[in-house]
Amino acid sequence: MWWLLGKGVDLFGDANVIPEAVSTSSFRVEGQYNSFYITWSPVKNVNYGQVFYELKISHAYKRDIIVETTDSHWKSEDLDDLPPFSPLTISIRALTYWGAPPQVTILLHSPPSIPSAPTNPRVFVSYSRNPLKDDQFDVYYMT
């Protein structure tokens, strides 16, 4: 009968089927502003059954995105027109067929973009003459 329970389950031990909450400190945003991953550390306390993640991503530019996955990452395929460094409210809940902990929410930002070229550059030159030292030029620029 042990073969029905699956690998790693101790017949004489306790089966843990209710996952812990996902740690908010484990969330990362990796990649470029137009193609990035949201990653988190997987829940490790379940020793029987499959852990699923219910992920909700909210932002001001489109509809909310709701995903169920068994992976501990999500790729930003549905956010093509999201501006760089946009705020993202991410809610996640780990769950199994037997139960789930409370949902956790974190505010992250999409990756920033590279700076654009200056549109109105200005240069200032300051000249100072000191008879005891060499002439000195200071150059400042503003974008």
Side-chain angles (χ1 to χ4, degrees), residues 9-84:
V9 176
D10 182 8
L11 284 175
F12 304 106
D14 293 330
N16 190 4
V17 295
I18 307 297
E20 295 174 344
V22 176
S23 170
T24 56
S25 63
S26 71
F27 277 87
R28 303 282 182 262
V29 177
E30 301 167 349
Q32 305 293 325
Y33 77 95
N34 54 358
S35 176
F36 60 92
Y37 283 92
I38 297 173
T39 62
W40 59 91
S41 295
V43 173
K44 301 264 189 201
N45 72 313
V46 173
N47 61 6
Y48 180 72
Q50 178 75 45
V51 177
F52 300 92
Y53 299 97
E54 188 177 78
L55 183 69
K56 178 181 175 187
I57 302 163
S58 304
H59 56 94
Y61 303 100
K62 248 185 171 179
R63 60 175 168 58
D64 292 349
I65 297 168
I66 300 173
V67 178
E68 281 194 16
T69 182
T70 57
D71 297 325
S72 59
H73 66 274
W74 176 80
K75 186 171 183 347
S76 66
E77 296 169 338
D78 299 332
L79 297 174
D80 294 335
D81 55 349
L82 186 70

